[in-house]
Amino acid sequence: MRTAYRLLLTACCLLPAAYCLAQQGKFEYTLTLEEVIDLAQDQSLDAIRTKNTFLANYWQYVSYKANYLPSLSLSGSLPDFTKQYTAVAGKDSTGAAVTEYLSEFSNRISGTLAIEQNLPTGGRISVYSSLEMYDQYENNLSNRVARSFRSIPVNISYTQSFFGVNNYKWDRKIEPLKYEEAKRSYLRQMEEVSIRAIRYFFDYAGAVQNLAIAEFNYANNDTLYKIARGRYNIGTIGENDLLQSELNFMDASSTLNEAQLTKESTANRLRSFLGFNELATVEITIPTAVPRVLLDLEKVLLWARKNNPDLLAYQRQLLEVEKRVAEETAANGFQANLSVTFGLNQRANTLEDAYKSPNDMENVRITLGIPILDWGRGRGRVRTAKSNQEVVKNQVEQAYVDFEQDVLLKVRQFNMQDTQFHIAAKSDTIAQKRYEVSKQRFLIDKITITDMNNAQMDRDRSQQNYVNALRNYWNFYYTIRQLSLYDYINDKSLDADFDLLVK
């Protein structure tokens, strides 16, 4: 008996601890729309993908800048071993001619230190210094027959194309533009993340609202059905009204089950989008008001022209096709390349002597290329490049027009949303009041079940329209933000800490 009592007491002590352990790792969040957007931009998979895309563009820009900075490299061979057999003519003891084979071994150790620099002219200058030690062996590695050193204390070379395309000039125009485009594209993609967050938020909000409607309608239809049965039993309503009331109750029950499943499904999608695992439970707070914002078209166009990455992309495309024309024109024309080299070198049997009194070496070379007959291939490539340039120009001009028309349409749509929201809010209040009045009149048998159903449908529709009006307001607002990369509520341009982002 005492043992059983101890076991029971132990179990009572352990149960609370076990319950606490079971609850560990479970989190409950109640989030506003703003908090959902912040979480989406911070930890959603879409946001992480956007950040990595920007980082790829950032390192491409870093690589471009590094191309025009001095580069230092060290190369060499250690060892470079060679074995071969050499035929040697000789005579035997009788004086007859014979061929003997000697095995030769050699080992070469070398190293080169080089500095290279691309120049704004499109040329390239390089400076290097090298040292080589050469050992020769005969028959075996213990029989070294010679050792020599060859040094190049300094060698300077310069190459330049006179009529070719200066890639440095074009890169200096295009690459910074591409990087700025990448930064603005990052901001735009983060706004796209916000728009997706809004969609998931209001999908869930709509499901929550529909579930609340379904629960309310289920309870009311249950009450109304019971009242209808009582009236039928005393003969104040006909069988048709009773069957209609029963049908309404069955529909409400079915709608409730579907609403519960929809709420669970949309909650899971929102939770997954925000990067939470299955241990997290997410609830939301539906907004009850919207900011009073009226957008000025000229202001939106001003910021859109200044900030939108598509406009930078159009500039880049024009530069790229212009560069292509320049490349094809240069390739089809007169070619001249200059190469100049000056250096010092010495060969000696000791390392010290290899650096004494070095000899100079110079080389100047000009290569020419003159197209004579190519059956129009070069001219065709030039004309193709120019035709593509005209196509891109026309496309860009049309894109500018379409862009401004899109901004105009979006601004007009947004400026309607404040009115639409307040109409939806007022309609919801009226429909709710009408429903309550209709319910009271039905209870005193002043209206039919059909009139009651109409009031209920109007009430349900007005509540759904209220949530949809909220969705449309924020969706259009963030679409305008995405087009112009400007926050009109706080009156400032959108930005990000790109230095922190690349760390």
Side-chain angles (χ1 to χ4, degrees), residues 424-436:
K426 183 65 174 178
S427 298
D428 182 39
T429 302
I430 294 172
Q432 178 66 36
K433 185 176 180 180
R434 178 189 174 223
Y435 175 80
E436 295 296 335

Side-chain angles (χ1 to χ4, degrees), residues 138-329:
E138 189 174 292
N139 295 325
N140 57 67
L141 292 175
S142 62
N143 184 23
R144 188 178 68 193
V145 296
R147 166 173 283 185
S148 63
F149 293 88
R150 181 175 184 268
S151 71
I152 301 179
V154 63
N155 182 282
I156 304 172
S157 64
Y158 171 71
T159 59
Q160 177 69 56
S161 174
F162 291 113
F163 301 104
V165 173
N166 186 346
N167 288 316
Y168 176 83
K169 181 187 75 173
W170 289 105
D171 288 347
R172 190 171 52 185
K173 293 180 180 180
I174 294 174
E175 292 300 328
L177 201 62
K178 287 174 65 176
Y179 181 56
E180 185 63 29
E181 180 187 344
K183 292 198 289 187
R184 297 186 192 180
S185 293
Y186 169 80
L187 295 173
R188 180 172 66 179
Q189 289 302 313
M190 293 303 286
E191 290 304 292
E192 181 63 30
V193 172
S194 299
I195 292 173
R196 290 196 65 189
I198 291 169
R199 183 168 71 248
Y200 283 116
F201 179 92
F202 282 106
D203 283 348
Y204 185 38
V208 170
Q209 186 72 21
N210 288 338
L211 179 58
I213 293 171
E215 291 173 339
F216 181 86
N217 289 340
Y218 176 81
N220 275 273
N221 278 285
D222 181 37
T223 301
L224 296 175
Y225 176 55
K226 292 176 180 177
I227 293 173
R229 278 193 306 176
R231 290 179 179 175
Y232 176 76
N233 289 333
I234 63 176
T236 57
I237 63 171
E239 184 178 8
N240 182 62
D241 287 340
L242 175 63
L243 292 176
Q244 180 65 54
S245 181
E246 183 178 7
L247 181 61
N248 291 342
F249 175 67
M250 299 302 294
D251 287 343
S253 179
S254 176
T255 301
L256 177 60
N257 292 332
E258 293 177 358
Q260 289 171 337
L261 290 175
T262 302
K263 178 179 179 293
E264 183 178 349
S265 175
T266 54
N268 289 337
R269 286 199 293 268
L270 176 61
R271 182 184 63 197
S272 176
F273 175 71
L274 294 178
F276 292 126
N277 59 28
E278 65 279 0
L279 297 176
T281 301
V282 176
E283 299 295 340
I284 61 172
T285 301
I286 301 176
T288 58
V290 296
R292 304 299 297 265
V293 178
L294 184 65
L295 297 181
D296 178 68
L297 175 61
E298 292 303 321
K299 180 178 181 179
V300 176
L301 278 174
L302 173 67
W303 288 109
R305 293 186 187 117
K306 183 177 180 180
N307 293 339
N308 193 282
D310 286 342
L311 303 188
L312 285 180
Y314 300 151
Q315 297 178 38
R316 173 179 55 80
Q317 291 168 14
L318 292 173
L319 286 172
E320 287 174 344
V321 293
E322 187 180 351
K323 178 185 177 183
R324 185 61 181 167
V325 171
E327 289 174 338
E328 294 297 345
T329 302

Side-chain angles (χ1 to χ4, degrees), residues 162-163 333-338 365-371:
F162 291 113
F163 301 104
F334 181 76
Q335 302 287 324
N337 299 298
L338 171 67
R365 180 175 62 200
I366 296 178
T367 60
L368 303 176
I370 305 174

Side-chain angles (χ1 to χ4, degrees), residues 188 192 195 295 297 300-301 304-305 308 310-311 314 398-415 476 478-484:
R188 180 172 66 179
E192 181 63 30
I195 292 173
L295 297 181
L297 175 61
V300 176
L301 278 174
R305 293 186 187 117
N308 193 282
D310 286 342
L311 303 188
Y314 300 151
Q398 184 61 49
Y400 272 109
V401 174
D402 294 342
F403 175 79
E404 294 194 354
Q405 290 297 318
D406 188 39
V407 172
L408 173 62
L409 177 61
K410 293 294 192 300
V411 169
R412 287 178 176 175
Q413 289 174 324
F414 172 77
N415 283 338
F476 278 114
Y478 272 86
T479 299
I480 296 291
R481 276 177 46 129
Q482 186 184 37
L483 281 171
S484 57

